Structures are given as C-alpha cells and as structure tokens.
Amino acid sequence: MRHKRALADLAPWVALALAAALIAAWLYGPNVLNPSSHAWLLHGDPAQHYVGSAYFLAEPWRWPPGAIHGFGQAPTSVVFVDAIPVAALAAKLLGVAAGQQYFGAWMLLCHVGAAWFGARLLRTLGVAGWPLCAGALLFVLAPALLLRVYGHEALMAHFLILAGLQLALVPWRWAPWLALGAFSVLVHPYLALMTAVLGAGVALAALALRDIAPWRLAAQALACLVLCGALAWAAGYFIGGGSQVSSGGHGFFSANLLTWVDPMDWHAFLAQHGRDVARGREWSVLMPAQAQATAGQYEGFAYLGAGVVLLVLLALVPMRRDGRVLAAPVIPRARWIGLAGACAGLALLALSARPSVGATILLDIPLSEGVASALGVGVTHRTTLFDA
C-alpha cells in the first residue's frame, strides 16, 4: 500500500519532467540528441565547446582529469573551453568516442531540471494544482533560458539556481547544499559562484534562527570548500596559472534596470553582430523594446514574459482543494532576509559600476584597473542571476 502511494505521488512529477523533455525535443528537433549530429554546433561559441570536447575525448586521461593538452599551444581544460565538465568527464568515463556530442542531451536535461526544480520551488511557496504545473512549464520556456541555447549550453543550467532558491526557503540541511555546490562547480564557475552566495545567505539565516550551532556550520563550510576545491582542481580550474581567467567588460556586459520588462530589439542586436534574423521574430508582441546603454547588455537579458506576470497574479488568488483554502506556508522572516540579501548583492554586481535605465547611465563609478579586471571575470556570474 505504501509503495503504491509513493508511485502515485511520483507520477505527476514524472509527467511534468516528460512534458519538459517533449517541449525541448519540439523546440530543437530530435536530431540534437543524436551523438553523431554536430553540424548545428559549428558556429560561434558552440564550435569552441564542441571542438574542445572532441580533443578532450580523444586524449588519454591526464592529471588533473579535466586537462586538455592538444587543443591550442598551451594546456587548457574542459572548464576553459566551456565543454561542461560534469558531462565531459562522464562521457569520457563511458568511453564516448571523440567527435560524438553530448550537448543536445545536456540541453534537454536543463529543461527537465527547470521544470522539476521550478515545481519544487513553487510548491514550497504554497502553489498547488494546475498553477504549479503551468508555472513549472513557464520556467521551461523562460526567454532568459532560451537565450542561452546554441551559445552558452552550460549556462542553461538554471535548475541549479532554482534548486538553491528552493533550499533557501526550507530549514537548513547541509547535504543538499553540499551536493548543489559540488555539481555547480562541475557545470560552470559562474553558476558555482551564484550557488555559493545563495548558500552563504541561507547559512547566516540558519545561524540567526539557531537551526545550527556556529561551530558545526563552520565545520560544514570548511568541508564544502575542501570538496568543491578538489572538484575544481579535477575539472581544470587552475590550469594556466590563472592567466586564462583574467577578463574585462565590467560595465559593458551588464544588466539594465528594465531587464525584467524589456524584450530588447533582437533584430537590431543581431544585425550589429553581423547576423540576420527575420523581422518580427522577437521575444514579445506586447512589450515594446527599450534602448540599451551598451551593446553588451544582452548578457543581462531577463525579460519575464507575459506568462510569468500572469502566474504572479494567479499566485495572489487563494486556491481551494476539497473546499479548503490552501494557505501559503509560513517561512521565517530570517530566511527571506538571507535570500534577499544574497540576491541583492548579486543583482548589484549585475548592474555593474555603471547602472542604467534604458539608454541612460545613472552612475559611472570609477574603478581601478585591477578591480575592473577582477569584476570582469564574473560578468556572466552576475548577469545569470537575472536569468534565473
């Protein structure tokens, strides 16, 4: 009897995951799941990701395991070629041949994960029934997620941020945060930073609520740092002596204060980058596109879409089941404060030292060259916050 009840409880979640997978297959076509199909990757950034993965799969195992020695003049790694370390390492362990691609399967997994963890987040917030299913599928079709398709496959892992947001609203448990941090490190450093900041905010809330003793939390944090550091080394984060991670672009690749309601003019954007798109294929037919302060603010694109606005309105209406009003769970204020603090810090970094509204730059805070370069390393860390 208990076994049947467990299966019945699991069935809606399986159906939701299957629906997300079918949506992804419809969006991209089933051919992207064919390991031998790679022509769709041979443009722009995806070409680097695919070719890097091919070199990695063709080489023997080295130390660290994520190293690549034949791609370019100096050793690099699956991290720096953006080949999604967790997928690349798994493919090599399974004996996948060089030239076979796993990016299509990863993209489908990201959509399934968005549905699964989006539904968990909504359930934690008290959403139930068909609004929960609709909301989860809106995460699957979020414009900010779809923007990363065929260009930033690793950054499609929005499910990691959704998982972190859900964990932030429930009592402190170390094991899920440890697993989330470890997996994020093996996906992309930008996502690893974001989950770390979310975890830090939640940990402070747990201390305030006395959910955990300070000494125990310190021990857990140290263990998490050791594990994530070891995984970062294994993936190849430290190859190249740090010279490969210097970056610029802070204040150029930024988020706009209108990002949540601005679908941007993608015809004009692609034209300025030498790519063509049919006129009319824009993110919205309802919201007008706004001017941008810089040409790099596409990295901060986070248009919510009319569906998410509708979901927010529905969430304000009490839902009933068996004649009873479903009350939202009571979440302690400290958890909200910890989560809001973490998100606010990341959002401020996303806005950069040159915050803007439309084409107007509100401030231009001067930064030293070293600070600007250090912040530039995390440009997409910061803008990806809005993607989630």
Side-chain angles (χ1 to χ4, degrees):
M1 189 62 150
R2 186 178 299 175
H3 180 66
K4 290 183 178 179
R5 183 177 300 173
L7 289 177
D9 292 340
L10 185 61
W13 295 87
V14 174
L16 183 62
L18 180 60
L22 291 174
I23 289 173
W26 171 73
L27 284 171
Y28 312 130
N31 200 43
V32 300
L33 295 176
N34 180 357
S36 299
S37 173
H38 57 261
W40 58 277
L41 288 165
L42 299 181
H43 68 90
D45 289 349
Q48 172 193 291
H49 309 161
Y50 167 70
V51 173
S53 71
Y55 272 89
F56 174 69
L57 294 175
E59 293 184 1
W61 285 103
R62 304 179 186 275
W63 291 104
I68 307 173
H69 282 216
F71 186 32
Q73 296 180 344
T76 185
S77 73
V78 289
V79 174
F80 295 119
V81 299
D82 231 355
I84 314 171
V86 66
L89 292 168
K92 196 163 186 173
L93 283 170
L94 293 173
V96 174
Q100 302 283 295
Q101 63 86 16
Y102 48 77
F103 295 95
W106 171 259
M107 290 160 54
L108 185 143
L109 174 65
C110 288
H111 283 278
V112 172
W116 187 278
F117 289 101
R120 287 177 60 88
L121 173 61
L122 293 173
R123 187 177 66 171
T124 300
L125 292 171
V127 181
W130 69 265
L132 183 146
C133 295
L137 293 179
L138 285 174
F139 282 119
V140 173
L141 292 169
L145 172 60
L146 297 178
L147 176 69
R148 297 299 182 184
V149 174
Y150 303 141
H152 296 146
E153 302 85 10
L155 294 179
M156 290 179 66
H158 290 185
F159 64 89
L160 297 174
I161 308 304
L162 293 172
L165 294 174
Q166 189 272 331
L167 287 175
L169 299 176
V170 297
W172 173 262
R173 290 183 297 156
W174 178 56
W177 279 107
L178 181 66
L180 179 61
F183 193 85
S184 299
V185 166
L186 292 177
V187 174
H188 201 285
Y190 298 168
L191 294 169
L193 175 65
M194 292 177 62
T195 56
V197 172
L198 289 175
V202 175
L204 291 176
L207 283 177
L209 293 168
R210 298 184 179 180
D211 288 342
I212 187 172
W215 68 267
R216 185 181 294 274
L217 180 61
Q220 293 178 354
L222 178 60
C224 186
L225 285 173
V226 170
L227 175 61
C228 290
L231 291 174
W233 170 83
Y237 275 64
F238 310 119
I239 290 178
S243 60
Q244 299 185 50
V245 296
S246 62
S247 181
H250 181 75
F252 180 78
F253 296 106
S254 62
N256 198 291
L257 279 167
L258 298 179
T259 184
W260 295 284
V261 295
D262 180 14
M264 299 184 67
D265 185 344
W266 286 98
H267 185 277
F269 164 74
L270 291 175
Q272 77 182 6
H273 286 269
R275 296 175 62 184
D276 191 24
V277 63
R279 173 64 74 177
R281 292 189 177 182
E282 299 288 347
W283 288 106
S284 176
V285 296
L286 301 176
M287 299 293 292
Q290 305 298 315
Q292 305 297 304
T294 74
Q297 290 197 324
Y298 68 91
E299 286 285 10
F301 176 73
Y303 175 59
L304 294 177
V308 174
V309 175
L310 177 61
L311 177 62
V312 171
L313 295 176
L314 287 173
L316 299 177
V317 180
M319 303 302 295
R320 294 178 176 272
R321 180 186 293 166
D322 299 330
R324 294 177 297 172
V325 175
L326 293 180
V330 177
I331 298 174
R333 183 180 301 176
R335 290 199 188 111
W336 284 114
I337 293 175
L339 176 58
C343 291
L346 290 168
L348 288 174
L349 287 174
L351 295 172
S352 83
R354 303 177 71 206
S356 57
V357 176
T360 303
I361 297 175
L362 301 178
L363 294 171
D364 194 350
I365 302 172
L367 300 174
S368 68
E369 183 177 348
V371 171
S373 179
L375 291 175
V377 174
V379 162
T380 315
H381 279 287
R382 301 188 297 278
T383 56
T384 309
L385 171 68
F386 293 97
D387 294 354

